[in-house]
Structures are given as C-alpha cells and as structure tokens.
DNA sequence: TCTATTTATGAATCGTTATTCAATTTCGCA
DNA sequence: TGCGAAATTGAATAACGATTCATAAATAGA
C-alpha cells in the first residue's frame, strides 16, 4: 500500500506544482498569451509532462479556478458560520474576501479579470463546476442579506441584487488595491465598504438628510 | 473638391462598416477567438480590405473602444453640464450610463468584460488614448463626489475611491442586466443604485439604526 | 473609350503554439 | 544487478489565423 500511496501523493504534488506555476504564468501574461511550455518550464517539468496531469490548457485553467474557489469558500464558511448577526456576518465575509484575495493576488487577477472573457469561449465539463462554486459563494452573500432583511435590519430588497452589487463594490476596491497597491489596510477597506453599503455616502446631519 | 470629399466620406463609411462588424464579432466571440476574416465577412469585405483601414487586429479593437468612450463621454457631458446639484448630477450620470450601455450592449461587453484582460498584453499608441478617455469619464464621477463633499452633502472621503466603488456597483448591476436581462427599467436600476450608494441598505427606523 | 491610379481581393505565407509521440529515463521488484 | 512497467521528455506535428501581396476590379481624368 505504502508504495501506491506514495505514488498517488507524488502525483498530487506534481499536479500541484504545475498549478502553482500556471497560476503565476496565467496571472502575469493572461490566458491566451501564456503558453503551456512556459508553464512547464516554470514548474520545472517537460512540456509533455503537463499533459500527463491535465487534458489541455483550458483544463489547467479550470482546475486553478476550481481550487481557488474551493479554498475561498472553505475559509469564508469556516469564519462566518459561528456568527449570527447579519451585519457581523457581512463584515466577516468581506474581511475574509479582502484577506484571501490580498494573499492570492494572482488568483484574483485570473478570477476577476480573465474569467469573464473566457466564459463565452469555453464550455467544458469543468466550466459547470466552476460556475457551481461561484454560485455557492454568491449564495453565502445573498443568504446574509436575506437574513438581514428578514430581521428587519436591511431595507426590503432583492437579496440577490444586493449581493451582486455588494460584490461589485468590493471587487472594484480590490482591483484598485491589486493594481496600484492603494486602499490601505484590510481593516480600513472593510470598514469603508461596510459603511458605504450599509449607510451610504450621504452625510446625515440636519438639512442634507432626505 | 467634391470628388476628394466623396472619397474621404466613402472611406469613413467603409471604416465604420468594419467597426460595426467588429463590435458584433468581438462581443460575440471575444477578442482572441474572433478572427479578422470573420470581421471582414460580417462587414461584407475581403480580408485584405480590413488592413487598408486598420493597422492590425488590435487597432480595430482600440478604435472601437475609443469611439465608444468618446460617444459616452459626449452624451454624459452634455446632459450633466447644465445641472448644479451633485445628487442630481450623479443620478443623471448614472441614468445616462445605464441608457448608453443598454443601447450598446456589445460595447459594454467589450469594454467591461474584455478590456481588463487585454490591458496587460497590449501597449500600442492607442492604448494610451483609450486610457485617457477612460480617465476623463472617471474624472466626471470623481468631480461630482468632490462637489458633494465640498457642499457638505456627502461624507468626507476620497472622491476617487467613491467614484471607483460607485462605478463598480453600477457595472455589476449592469452586467447582471446585460447577461440575464434582469434588473427592470433604467429608472428602477438608477434609483436602486442611487439609494444604496447614497443611503445604504440599512433600515433606518428606531432600534436597528446605529 | 482608353490608360493610369487607386482600391479590393482572398489565396498563400509565415509565425505561433497546443498537442502528440517515439525515444529515454526512472522506478519497483525479484 | 537486470527486467518490464511507468513516467518523463522535448522535438516533431498539425492546426490555426494574422498579415501580406500578386492579381483583378473599379474609378478618374483625358
């Protein structure tokens, strides 16, 4: 058994080496400009070896997105579950999003920047898997808004729409941060987004309040 | 003169035919998957003809973005200039954004979805022109927030950051609308975004208010 | 109408790169 | 150590598609 086990484990290690290299190369040059031999070289393998672990170039990309989303989902789930207050949950979700993507900037680039433009071109079996993971994460946000609405804390609105906009708001702030390094600490960005999304940017004293 | 003029005018017409075709093809298949002969066929010209009007494939794409942004800028500028109240300006800007992109969905796909992933790969002379136009539009938003802050209507904050997030919020709602047709009327979407961004999604009666 | 000039064409070229595969190396085992 | 199986390799293949260019069509002016 030990030998079979080790082989399997080594296989996973090699597979992972390739994924790590691919993430770097894809993020640096974009899906279309990255080439497989480049990924292989980065991972210190021969070009053909890559094809022992992945069906084709797209398969590498999908596996990468899948792994990233699974990791993100797991970490959000773990931190969010113990909380009950919707506002706290939302804040925790957001902070984790900033933390995770700041720690995985390459993944962020792939996921937010590249992914959209690839959707249309591809339709592998994995495509659906990726979409499932994406929706699962989206659903966390939508559920929190639903809870908040039910609890009378948030205005009645379509929770999916809210989750969508909340995601957009935070993604854009993250983009700014990933590309030009601005935005300040995770704490600051979290508070900023929470404040805008929950309270708005309108000043609330006296006559300017509507 | 008349002959020279006509030639020039015809040239512009042909150039525009190609741009119209390219917008359609790029939006449908993405920059990398679209091919030039496809664009030529869509425009009812031979492949080589395209190269009489554009330097290369990227040049077509850039010209498209440039034209779209110029049109958008002009229409926003025109409608916004006469207003004085920052909130009204913002609302007008947003409504125009929804109106414009809803009328030019293909352009929206190119600009929002494709553009990000192409930034890194390209660096033509036109690239800078596109970025200039982009910044010019962004500046309109940032200026409105600045005015609002100065007038004491908005919370003191970095107007650029606000403009960025405001853009993200509305883009995401637009994406939803462009891709699955949801979101309701322009009026409704505008009000939704304005309300969230200005007042937040928190319910403001009694104990739930902080 | 006829020639010169401009414009259009799409087949051929050329470069690129994903993918394959025959040859080689490594590994497990006796 | 030596044999067969499994894994690795990177050069060769094959497909694709941007760009060019020799040829043809259209046009302007005489």
């Amino acid at each position: 058994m030990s030998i079979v086990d080790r082989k399997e484990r080594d296989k996973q290690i090699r597979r992972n080496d390739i994924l790590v290299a691919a993430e770097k190369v894809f993020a640096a040059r974009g899906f279309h400009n990255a080439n497989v031999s480049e990924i292989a070289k980065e991972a210190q393998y021969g070009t053909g070896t890559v094809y022992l672990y992945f069906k084709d170039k797209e398969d590498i990309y999908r596996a990468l997105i899948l792994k990233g989303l699974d990791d993100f989902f797991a970490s959000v789930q773990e931190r969010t579950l113990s909380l009950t207050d919707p506002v706290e949950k939302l804040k925790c979700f957001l902070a984790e999003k900033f933390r995770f993507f700041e720690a995985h900037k390459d993944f962020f680039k792939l996921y937010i920047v590249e992914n959209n433009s690839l959707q249309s071109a591809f339709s592998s079996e994995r495509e659906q898997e990726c979409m499932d993971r994406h929706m699962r994460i989206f659903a966390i946000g939508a559920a929190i808004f639903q809870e908040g609405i039910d609890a009378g804390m948030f205005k009645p609105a379509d929770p999916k729409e809210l989750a969508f906009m909340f995601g957009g708001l935070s993604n854009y702030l993250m983009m700014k941060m990933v590309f030009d390094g601005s935005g300040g600490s995770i704490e600051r960005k979290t508070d900023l987004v929470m404040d805008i999304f929950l309270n708005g940017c309108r000043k609330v004293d006296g006559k300017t309040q509507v």
Side-chain angles (χ1 to χ4, degrees), chain A residues 69-86:
Chain A
L69 290 183
D70 278 345
D71 290 350
F72 181 50
F73 179 79
S75 69
V76 168
Q77 190 79 331
E78 185 197 323
R79 285 158 201 252
T80 304
L81 267 185
S82 62
L83 301 171
T84 53
D85 178 43

Side-chain angles (χ1 to χ4, degrees), chain A residues 58 62 66 115 118-132:
Chain A
E58 186 197 330
R62 290 291 164 209
L66 214 54
N115 211 41
L118 296 178
Q119 299 285 12
S120 47
F122 293 161
S123 63
S124 69
E125 339 140 27
R126 281 234 173 126
E127 166 73 35
Q128 191 55 46
E129 288 185 278
C130 288
M131 189 50 78
D132 284 349

Side-chain angles (χ1 to χ4, degrees), chain A residues 103-117:
Chain A
H104 302 88
K105 287 185 183 179
D106 282 346
F107 176 64
F108 179 74
K109 285 188 192 176
L110 288 186
Y111 185 54
I112 303 297
V113 178
E114 284 284 313
N115 211 41
N116 281 326
S117 65

Side-chain angles (χ1 to χ4, degrees), chain A residues 1 3 8 10 26 38-39 49 51 66-67 69 83 91-92 124 133-134 138 148 163-164 188-189 198 205:
Chain A
M1 289 307 171
I3 284 167
E8 182 53 33
D10 285 359
F26 280 143
E38 214 175 339
I39 292 171
T49 308
Y51 285 86
L66 214 54
K67 182 181 176 330
L69 290 183
L83 301 171
K91 185 171 176 176
C92 176
S124 69
R133 309 307 156 102
H134 174 76
F138 175 73
F164 220 81
R188 180 190 170 267
K189 288 188 294 262
L198 262 53
D205 36 59

Side-chain angles (χ1 to χ4, degrees), chain A residues 42-76:
Chain A
E42 175 73 33
Q44 315 240 44
Y45 290 113
T47 309
T49 308
V50 171
Y51 285 86
L52 297 175
Y53 293 91
F54 298 94
K55 189 163 70 65
D56 53 26
K57 188 180 173 184
E58 186 197 330
D59 192 40
I60 306 172
Y61 177 79
R62 290 291 164 209
L64 216 48
I65 297 295
L66 214 54
K67 182 181 176 330
L69 290 183
D70 278 345
D71 290 350
F72 181 50
F73 179 79
S75 69
V76 168

